[in-house]
């Protein structure tokens, strides 16, 4: 059984077996696929199979969990939090010295985010690791639902399309990449800036916006910025 500080009571299981399933990815990215047209492009004719897979991912008995290790010693975790009546996906950052993982974003009915900018997403995806999720394409897509960036570079779309081409059987990954970057989760894309060495955003639902009452403390925000950009 996997263990993440603060999630000791959750039946966490290694979710790596799902990474090789092409349908896992449109399921995982679903909150950025708004509307029937976007879902039709992403899922194609496999909607029934995707629904069956979603039911497996949502099992109360097992919470699929994915870990992305970073060079900084921190780790990002994606946890399918399958609490009855409170399903969602939590995006966490942990460190061996911490007593509890920090929630950077939550993808559910009471969403919180964004959790990272495009440069942080790309930097986290490109780091090499011998444990956890190692494939940079898989790392990129796993962490993508945390994204909220109003200033993504032109190179973001082809980078995202390349990952979709590698890991899915979508007929038009370029169009799906465009839709994903246009929607970016349940929140409004945020603007990011550096303040005293700390990267913060102006997202009204983000714990990385110091103006929000639920924002993380300043030292923790600085540590998160360092962890994600190394």
């Amino acid at each position: 059984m996997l263990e993440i500080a603060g999630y000791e009571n959750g039946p966490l299981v290694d979710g790596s077996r799902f990474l090789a399933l092409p349908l896992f990815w449109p399921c995982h990215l679903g909150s950025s696929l708004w509307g029937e047209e976007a879902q039709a492009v992403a899922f194609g004719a496999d909607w029934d199979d995707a629904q069956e897979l979603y039911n497996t991912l949502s099992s109360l008995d097992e919470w699929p969990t994915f870990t992305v290790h970073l060079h900084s010693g921190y780790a990002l975790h994606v946890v399918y939090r399958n609490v009855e009546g409170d399903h969602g996906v939590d995006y966490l950052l942990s460190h061996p010295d911490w007593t509890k993982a920090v929630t950077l974003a939550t993808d559910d009915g009471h969403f919180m985010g964004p959790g990272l900018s495009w440069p942080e997403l790309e930097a986290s995806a490109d780091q090499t690791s011998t444990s956890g999720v190692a494939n940079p394409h898989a790392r990129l897509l796993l962490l993508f639902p945390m994204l909220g960036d109003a200033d993504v570079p032109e190179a973001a779309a082809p980078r995202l399309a390349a990952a979709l081409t590698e890991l899915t059987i979508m007929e038009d990954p370029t169009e799906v990449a465009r839709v994903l970057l246009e929607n970016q989760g349940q929140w409004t894309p945020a603007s990011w800036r550096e303040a005293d060495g700390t990267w913060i955003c102006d997202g009204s639902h983000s714990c990385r916006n110091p103006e929000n009452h639920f924002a993380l403390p300043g030292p923790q925000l600085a540590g998160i910025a360092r962890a994600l950009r190394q």
Side-chain angles (χ1 to χ4, degrees):
M1 190 72 70
L2 298 177
E3 291 187 6
I4 297 175
Y7 280 68
E8 288 82 2
N9 295 325
L12 307 182
V13 296
D14 181 7
S16 59
R17 66 188 177 94
F18 294 107
L19 300 180
L21 301 179
L23 277 179
F24 168 72
W25 299 106
C27 287
H28 183 66
L29 300 166
S31 61
S32 293
L33 296 169
W34 302 350
E36 293 183 4
E37 183 176 349
Q39 293 181 6
V41 173
F43 289 97
D46 298 317
W47 182 254
D48 290 340
D49 290 339
Q51 186 60 49
E52 184 177 345
L53 175 58
Y54 177 77
N55 292 338
T56 300
L57 291 167
S58 303
S59 169
L60 301 178
D61 299 325
E62 294 185 343
W63 297 6
T65 301
F66 310 85
T67 297
V68 173
H69 291 284
L70 304 175
H71 292 168
S72 57
Y74 292 79
L76 289 161
H77 307 278
V78 180
V79 178
Y80 277 71
R81 172 183 29 84
N82 298 328
V83 176
E84 187 170 8
D86 188 26
H87 286 265
V89 182
D90 294 338
Y91 294 84
L92 316 169
L93 181 70
S94 70
H95 189 276
D97 294 337
W98 291 0
T99 58
K100 185 177 181 179
V102 171
T103 302
L104 297 184
T106 301
D107 191 0
D108 61 11
H110 306 283
F111 63 87
M112 183 178 74
L116 44 68
S117 64
W118 177 263
E120 292 170 335
L121 171 60
E122 199 164 35
S124 299
D126 288 341
Q127 295 181 33
T128 57
S129 176
T130 57
S131 58
V133 181
N135 185 315
H137 290 312
R139 290 164 71 103
L140 185 78
L141 296 186
L142 265 179
L143 302 178
F144 180 87
M146 297 174 66
L147 177 69
D149 194 331
D151 190 29
V152 295
E154 291 185 6
R159 174 72 194 272
L160 192 57
L164 293 170
T165 299
E166 176 74 20
L167 298 175
T168 77
I169 53 174
M170 295 176 182
E171 292 187 4
D172 193 349
T174 299
E175 173 62 14
V176 175
R178 183 195 66 79
V179 170
L180 291 172
L181 289 170
E182 183 178 288
N183 293 334
Q184 292 186 37
Q186 302 186 67
W187 38 76
T188 302
S191 294
W192 294 81
R193 63 185 178 89
E194 186 176 8
D196 299 324
T198 299
W199 283 91
I200 59 174
C201 73
D202 61 1
S204 59
H205 297 91
S206 177
C207 65
R208 296 184 66 187
N209 178 0
E211 300 300 319
N212 292 331
H213 69 87
F214 55 89
L216 295 169
Q220 205 160 37
L221 288 176
I224 290 169
R226 289 193 300 272
L228 294 177
R229 286 177 175 260
Q230 290 185 8

